[in-house]
Amino acid sequence: MFKNWFKRNTLSAHVQRVVALTADAEPDPERLWNELQGLCQAASQAAPTERDAALTSLAPAVAHSHPQVSGMVAIAGGALVGAGAPAALWAEPLRRRASAVLEAAGRFAASASARMGPPPEDDEDEEEWEDGALIVEERVVPPALVDDLARLDLPAVSAYRALELWTPPLLACLARSTEQRNAAAQDKALRDSVENLASYHGGMEMLWKLLGVLDQEPLLVLHPESGKGFVCRISGIGINFELHMLLMDVLCSPDYGLPGRRLAPNVSRVAWGRSVEEIEAGCIGNWNLYAWHAASLDLSRPAEVDDATWIWNEGTPADIPVFEGHRVVLLGTPPYERSWSVGRYFEGLVPQFTVERVLEPGEVASWLERLRAAAKSP
């Protein structure tokens, strides 16, 4: 009896039953959900080769035509990736199906937004959201409007309802696979759908940022006050809070000697993607980060520097303006002590920050001269 029970509850057995159920256009939702839950539980106990085989076998199920059915399968595959299966194995079939789901969801969001019109100017109270409510631009779509739009375009409404299922596995897989992330960023249909949805749905804003993550990007870092400069290269950095921390940890090391504090060991582990720990108020920034347009200003006197030239910690490296083929970061005195809590913006993303060359004093002076001239020109 126990032998039969074990065989019935192996990872491969759950996968086979999920594939069989999703061969039906309308699978029994309770049976499917139970099998997917069993699959997720079995994933943590399975051998690596079993998890890899399970992802490959699940690919037909994630192509199911109903976005909520395929979304549930997408979540299960994401659990396998979280348990250690290669993200690239799941990211490709996930990406192929997601493109159509996100395009359809965008149709609903655009229609609902247009029908609801702009929010009232005096709408300052936070709206209470009931379970199952559809939220567009942080507003509840009235149920009557949802029903009306469903009569016109049911696939679009179903796709929007399924977004909560699709966002986590997409984030998990694309963060863990540089190749698949770059493929997704170059997929115009998918990229356009994510960009469109980002203005309507909070989860899509994170996905949009992930598609903009830079890889093997040249970065020029100059500290005018000390006359030091560095030609660097960055990859896999999700947000500028993380960039600021890596600048501190690398450039303020004995190897490079930039004045300022380095990261505490536990904060450093998080910054480099070796830990997902969350540390309250774990970092105090060394500098204010400025774009190259601030080169003509005295960055040791921050009160006199327009914040239009700031590189905001809340932004991303892709926001940093380019000069002569390099994104440029100027390090200046902070206008006030700025601290922040430390955690991973994208849990699966592992950053890279390398110094390719330390600039000679004359090279730093030449860069600053060219930057100042360009900043002063109309």
Side-chain angles (χ1 to χ4, degrees):
M1 183 180 77
F2 290 111
K3 184 177 180 180
N4 290 336
W5 180 90
F6 181 78
K7 287 176 66 178
R8 175 176 171 76
N9 289 282
T10 61
L11 178 57
S12 61
H14 285 296
V15 170
Q16 289 170 15
R17 288 194 291 271
V18 167
V19 172
L21 283 166
T22 55
D24 191 332
E26 296 184 14
D28 183 298
E30 186 175 351
R31 285 183 62 198
L32 177 60
W33 186 246
N34 287 339
E35 290 297 343
L36 290 170
Q37 283 185 311
L39 186 157
C40 293
Q41 291 167 3
S44 62
Q45 306 297 324
T49 53
E50 291 178 291
R51 289 194 289 263
D52 295 0
L55 277 186
T56 302
S57 299
L58 271 179
V62 84
H64 194 280
S65 61
H66 196 293
Q68 287 171 290
V69 171
S70 53
M72 287 192 289
V73 177
I75 283 280
L80 285 164
V81 170
L89 276 180
W90 194 234
E92 190 166 348
L94 194 67
R95 183 166 53 82
R96 286 198 301 267
R97 180 67 181 105
S99 187
V101 172
L102 300 188
E103 188 278 329
R107 296 199 307 267
F108 168 78
S111 298
S113 177
R115 292 276 292 271
M116 288 192 295
E121 292 183 7
D122 60 351
D123 186 20
E124 296 180 359
D125 296 331
E126 221 177 272
E127 196 168 1
E128 289 190 12
W129 299 347
E130 294 182 4
D131 288 345
L134 294 184
I135 313 300
V136 171
E137 295 173 312
E138 299 187 349
R139 289 186 290 163
V140 175
V141 182
L145 177 55
V146 175
D147 291 343
D148 193 21
L149 293 175
R151 284 190 288 272
L152 298 171
D153 190 351
L154 180 59
V157 177
S158 298
Y160 198 83
R161 285 193 187 280
L163 285 183
E164 299 300 329
L165 297 169
W166 281 93
T167 308
L170 281 167
L171 288 171
C173 290
L174 297 183
R176 287 171 169 82
S177 173
T178 302
E179 180 183 336
Q180 287 295 327
R181 184 169 68 252
N182 290 337
Q186 292 163 20
D187 182 334
K188 187 177 185 305
L190 178 64
R191 189 179 176 89
D192 287 351
S193 293
V194 174
E195 183 179 17
N196 174 47
L197 275 169
S199 60
Y200 300 116
H201 187 280
M204 288 297 118
E205 184 179 357
M206 281 194 74
L207 187 56
W208 176 243
K209 285 185 176 181
L210 182 59
L211 293 183
V213 167
L214 303 175
D215 290 298
Q216 297 301 313
E217 185 75 7
L219 181 74
L220 177 69
V221 183
L222 302 173
H223 187 237
E225 191 173 349
S226 68
K228 290 179 178 287
F230 311 88
V231 176
C232 307
R233 195 167 294 274
I234 59 172
S235 293
I237 299 173
I239 196 168
N240 289 337
F241 280 112
E242 295 169 3
L243 174 62
H244 196 143
M245 291 190 290
L246 296 177
L247 287 165
M248 292 170 62
D249 214 37
V250 174
L251 300 184
C252 297
S253 69
D255 291 338
Y256 300 109
L258 206 60
R261 65 177 72 82
R262 292 188 72 186
L263 303 179
N266 60 335
V267 173
S268 178
R269 286 192 294 273
V270 175
W272 289 103
R274 300 177 190 126
S275 169
V276 294
E277 181 183 2
E278 293 188 6
I279 304 166
E280 192 74 23
C283 187
I284 299 174
N286 277 353
W287 313 285
N288 214 62
L289 310 186
Y290 295 95
W292 68 262
H293 309 86
S296 61
L297 307 172
D298 184 353
L299 302 186
S300 67
R301 305 175 71 176
E304 300 175 12
V305 182
D306 189 339
D307 65 8
T309 63
W310 288 17
I311 295 171
W312 295 90
N313 281 340
E314 292 82 0
T316 68
D319 300 330
I320 299 172
V322 175
F323 182 86
E324 294 184 6
H326 292 74
R327 296 187 191 271
V328 179
V329 173
L330 304 177
L331 305 178
T333 304
Y336 51 87
E337 184 176 276
R338 184 183 289 115
S339 65
W340 57 86
S341 297
V342 175
R344 300 296 304 150
Y345 193 73
F346 295 113
E347 184 176 311
L349 207 58
V350 178
Q352 297 175 32
F353 183 107
T354 57
V355 176
E356 296 191 331
R357 196 161 64 86
V358 179
L359 297 176
E360 299 293 336
E363 292 179 290
V364 175
S366 175
W367 271 108
L368 288 172
E369 183 179 347
R370 299 200 304 277
L371 290 168
R372 287 173 186 136
K376 288 178 179 178
S377 65

